Amino acid sequence: MPWVLLRSRSVSLFTRVRLPGRHASRSAKPGPPREPPKPPAPTAPSWRPWLLPLAALIVILILVARAQPSRSTTFPYSEFVGKVAAGVVKTVDIDDKGGVSGTLKDGTRFSTRIPAALDTSPLDQQLRDKKVEITASQSSGGDGLRTLLVLLLPLLFIVMLFWWSGRKAAQTLTSGVGGIGRSRAKIIEAERPGTRFEDVAGYEGVKQEISEIVDFLRRPERYAVAGAKGPRGVIMVGPPGTGKTLIARAVAGEAEVPFLSVTGSAFVEMFVGVGASRVRDLFGEARRRAPSIIFIDEIDAVGSRRGIRLGGNDEREQTLNQLLAEMDGFDQSSGIVVLAATNRPEALDPALLRPGRFDRHVTVPLPNQAERAAILAVHARGKTLAADVDWHVVARATPGFSGADLANLVNEAAINAVRADRAIIDAHDLATARDRVLLGRRESSNALLPEERHAVAVHESGHALVAALCEHADPVAKVTILPSGPALGATEQLPEAERHLYTEGYLTDLLAVRLGGRAAELVVFGEGSTGAADDLAGATQIADRMVAEFGLSQVLGPVGYASRTPHYLGRENGEEAVGRSYSEHTQRIVDEEIARLVAQAEKRAIALLQRHRAALDTLAELLVARETVDGSVVLDVLKRQCTVRGTAAPAPRTNP
């Protein structure tokens, strides 16, 4: 049987069973939004007041360096001629205005001017005779301006450098390092998604609770007249794939207010303080756009329980603390509602779930049979279906499937139709897709030996016959020995209706069916095999819960203990994993009762198969020949045996 559904009033268990060997189975009156408070101006860096004194010091140093006295003099032209004749002139530079400058051989710089009416030819000859280096240049006005520019350029460069540094520092203070502190929320305001509430099949109660948020933001005066206060936050919890994010997209499509969508992991960063900065920025943006809705998907990534940590700085806890402050700190009349989704509600911090933050908790469970049929019809839009497709039949054959599973089922059926060069999806495509989702791909290369095929047929026949002979067991739908994934064969059982309460008789029959394959091997071959490994593990788990949780042990009595599986949040919060809450003596009793229940189930299965040995052999031969048979064939085999023996045939309890 590929499905096992165990649910009590406060404890529920829904597991998809696969048999790898051979069997698979919050108080202010709402009103118009107020002007959001302006954020405080960023504080100037402590080093900024030192910029101007530092720049002034640099300019003074440059001026002092240039004003250092040098060995330079000015003398008349006649004296210059005399020095040339004396041979003490080393270099001369003559410009086009008659200005002369140069250096003496002792390194002294000089300057003079040649009279305008004087012939300079003798001077030129004399300079050449004394081997003086002569250069000619053009005179230029504005030397003072050029010198001033040369002095001011370094200062201007330094001032611009410090101005740019101060601007970048201000940006860092307001938006984090390179904008890393800005929120990464996707803002949906003008162009909204096409998803509406009618696109979400089923979940009428969930949609009603969520739609009240949209109505409160649209028409707050309705609630103000009655004195009602709108919720501050709504959190959707449920198993993965049940459509929590799809409902959020429908809210974004239906709401006429800005919708800010962000994932919980977007707040997590390696830099300390960045997550808290992003939370502040997100709520600041929501206030500026109020009324608005903030949607945080997978909020457990940032809202997990805070633990005791010695030393260090936990960035995640800082982010959570900021989120708690923002959700409890904003004014209720601001028109901001926080919508969140998670499939791990037990991982969230209790402070986040209290009224005043998340006032409303909405559970999005796995869909029931009617909801599954509606979800399948939604996912089949745009596809061509054959006349034999009945969504109610498919919904009955898919207990425990989530919305995502059903979408995958329809897609796999479409792929199977394309593989057969068809554009129309028929019932066989859906059945094949269901088998693939439950059991895996058919392994054509995993050929069994003849004796293995017979052993698998005997094993699956044992499951099917025990299920047909037990009063409370679910009817048999199909038996196959075709390998699929890790399973070498499968016996599928489908419940006649959605079950919400399971009796001791049903669980006892479930144990017998689980051990029917091993019992058939013992009856036919006299020994068991490894093909019953998954059957034994599943039966032991069921017996464990019957004894320790459901109080169905005659020896231990009506006592229920919590699940003995270690809680996955233990070591995550720096704590030890949760252990058992009872003594070693009680543990020994539990172990003995588990062994007793499993052994009794095996004996019962063996006794049933021994009384119907002929039916067991016949069904095994049919499986070897046909590989797959329906549940009706199992009943036919039992009826023929009972006719031969003159006993009452079992009631017809197979699926149509």
Side-chain angles (χ1 to χ4, degrees):
M1 51 181 275
W3 295 92
V4 176
L5 177 59
L6 302 180
R7 179 175 296 169
S8 186
R9 293 181 180 177
S10 59
V11 181
S12 65
L13 168 64
F14 201 112
T15 58
R16 180 180 300 175
V17 180
R18 297 182 180 178
L19 308 180
R22 297 175 178 154
H23 190 66
S25 18
R26 202 197 178 280
S27 72
K29 179 180 179 181
R34 303 184 304 174
E35 185 70 21
K38 296 182 178 180
T43 307
S46 58
W47 45 265
R48 185 175 293 181
W50 296 92
L51 290 179
L52 188 58
L54 181 60
L57 178 61
I58 294 175
V59 172
I60 292 173
L61 292 176
I62 294 175
L63 294 176
V64 169
R66 293 184 62 87
Q68 289 295 326
S70 59
R71 300 175 61 190
S72 178
T73 183
T74 302
F75 37 76
Y77 177 73
S78 58
E79 185 178 351
F80 166 65
V81 174
K83 290 184 179 294
V84 173
V88 298
V89 178
K90 182 179 180 181
T91 63
V92 171
D93 181 69
I94 304 174
D95 60 27
D96 57 354
K97 301 295 185 181
V100 180
S101 63
T103 58
L104 303 179
K105 291 185 177 180
D106 60 359
T108 303
R109 294 188 59 83
F110 69 91
S111 63
T112 186
R113 180 168 292 278
I114 303 173
L118 186 65
D119 184 14
T120 60
S121 299
L123 177 63
D124 293 341
Q125 185 62 40
Q126 191 175 9
L127 290 171
R128 291 187 182 93
D129 294 342
K130 297 299 183 179
K131 298 181 179 180
V132 178
E133 297 180 8
I134 303 172
T135 58
S137 63
Q138 293 182 351
S139 63
S140 60
D143 290 341
L145 179 60
R146 182 174 61 185
T147 303
L148 181 61
L149 290 176
V150 172
L151 292 175
L152 291 180
L153 281 176
L155 175 62
L156 182 62
F157 173 75
I158 293 173
V159 171
M160 291 297 294
L161 177 63
F162 282 110
W163 174 82
W164 178 82
S165 300
R167 185 183 180 95
K168 294 299 292 181
Q171 293 177 356
T172 300
L173 288 173
T174 57
S175 62
V177 181
I180 198 172
R182 296 294 304 274
S183 169
R184 298 183 178 180
K186 180 181 179 182
I187 302 174
I188 301 173
E189 191 167 10
E191 298 181 1
R192 301 188 177 277
T195 307
R196 297 295 185 267
F197 280 134
E198 55 263 25
D199 298 323
V200 182
Y203 298 117
E204 298 302 327
V206 175
K207 290 189 291 185
Q208 179 180 358
E209 293 205 37
I210 300 298
S211 61
E212 287 180 358
I213 304 172
V214 180
D215 186 62
F216 169 75
L217 293 177
R218 286 178 178 174
R219 298 179 292 177
E221 63 279 357
R222 292 184 58 204
Y223 298 84
V225 171
K229 297 177 289 186
R232 287 197 172 189
V234 178
I235 183 168
M236 298 180 293
V237 300
T242 52
K244 298 182 291 296
T245 306
L246 177 64
I247 295 174
R249 286 203 301 268
V251 172
E254 294 277 355
E256 297 175 358
V257 297
F259 189 91
L260 290 78
S261 177
V262 64
T263 61
S265 60
F267 298 107
V268 181
E269 194 59 67
M270 63 178 292
F271 302 107
V272 176
V274 170
S277 175
R278 289 178 178 172
V279 172
R280 288 191 296 268
D281 186 76
L282 173 63
F283 280 84
E285 187 70 28
R287 293 187 186 98
R288 287 189 291 271
R289 299 175 181 268
S292 59
I293 299 175
I294 298 175
F295 173 59
I296 306 176
D297 198 7
E298 304 296 345
I299 194 175
D300 51 90
V302 66
S304 297
R305 291 175 181 267
R306 291 167 290 184
I308 301 176
R309 299 180 183 272
L310 301 178
N313 193 326
D314 193 344
E315 164 67 4
R316 190 192 66 184
E317 289 194 5
Q318 286 192 16
T319 306
L320 174 58
N321 291 336
Q322 185 63 45
L323 179 61
L324 296 175
E326 292 288 349
M327 291 191 65
D328 198 34
F330 64 80
D331 189 359
Q332 191 172 10
S333 62
S334 60
I336 299 176
V337 174
V338 181
L339 182 64
T342 180
N343 50 41
R344 300 173 60 199
E346 69 281 353
L348 298 180
D349 193 276
L352 190 64
L353 299 176
R354 72 162 176 83
R357 292 196 174 100
F358 284 113
D359 306 271
R360 184 174 294 181
H361 300 178
V362 178
T363 302
V364 187
L366 292 169
N368 57 33
Q369 182 173 330
E371 290 172 339
R372 289 197 300 272
I375 293 173
L376 286 166
V378 168
H379 290 299
R381 292 176 183 173
K383 298 178 175 64
T384 306
L385 303 176
D388 60 346
V389 174
D390 186 349
W391 292 127
H392 294 283
V393 174
V394 180
R396 182 170 173 266
T398 53
F401 274 48
S402 65
D405 292 330
L406 296 173
N408 184 42
L409 174 68
V410 175
N411 185 64
E412 287 288 344
I415 294 175
N416 189 73
V418 172
R419 191 180 294 119
D421 294 330
R422 288 184 284 104
I424 301 177
I425 303 174
D426 56 21
H428 176 72
D429 295 325
L430 290 166
T432 303
R434 175 182 173 275
D435 290 343
R436 177 176 175 83
V437 172
L438 290 176
L439 305 176
R441 185 175 63 89
R442 294 291 185 190
E443 298 290 346
S444 58
S445 62
N446 192 6
L448 298 176
L449 298 175
E451 60 271 18
E452 290 178 331
R453 283 173 56 86
H454 182 245
V456 173
V458 169
H459 184 103
E460 301 304 332
S461 298
H463 285 300
L465 289 175
V466 174
L469 293 169
C470 289
E471 179 183 358
H472 305 287
D474 292 324
V476 178
K478 183 174 64 175
V479 186
T480 180
I481 59 171
L482 292 176
S484 297
L488 299 180
T491 298
E492 296 182 8
Q493 292 177 263
L494 296 180
E496 296 176 335
E498 294 280 348
R499 294 181 180 269
H500 302 88
L501 186 65
Y502 295 88
T503 63
E504 183 176 2
Y506 176 85
L507 296 176
T508 303
D509 285 355
L510 184 60
L511 286 176
V513 174
R514 279 301 190 99
L515 295 171
R518 172 180 167 85
E521 294 177 356
L522 294 175
V523 169
V524 176
F525 306 115
E527 60 180 357
S529 70
T530 58
D534 193 73
D535 295 333
L536 292 173
T540 302
Q541 183 182 11
I542 296 171
D544 187 1
R545 299 199 66 180
M546 290 176 63
V547 174
E549 293 186 47
F550 304 148
L552 299 179
S553 168
Q554 298 178 357
V555 177
L556 196 61
V559 179
Y561 297 101
S563 175
R564 297 187 292 169
T565 304
H567 203 282
Y568 67 92
L569 292 177
R571 294 184 176 86
E572 180 179 281
N573 288 332
E575 303 169 352
E576 291 297 327
V578 178
R580 66 171 184 264
S581 58
Y582 43 85
S583 65
E584 290 287 346
H585 176 69
T586 304
Q587 175 66 69
R588 183 174 62 185
I589 297 176
V590 169
D591 292 339
E592 291 174 352
E593 284 296 284
I594 293 173
R596 181 184 64 82
L597 288 175
V598 174
Q600 285 183 351
E602 183 182 75
K603 290 180 181 179
R604 181 184 176 194
I606 292 175
L608 288 173
L609 294 176
Q610 285 176 341
R611 289 199 300 268
H612 300 83
R613 174 63 187 271
L616 176 62
D617 294 335
T618 302
L619 184 58
E621 293 175 359
L622 287 175
L623 278 175
V624 172
R626 303 182 186 179
E627 294 183 336
T628 301
V629 298
D630 293 333
S632 58
V633 175
V634 179
L635 278 183
D636 290 340
V637 170
L638 285 174
K639 287 179 180 179
R640 288 199 299 269
Q641 181 196 11
C642 293
T643 301
V644 172
R645 297 176 55 183
T647 58
R653 296 176 52 255
T654 58
N655 290 279

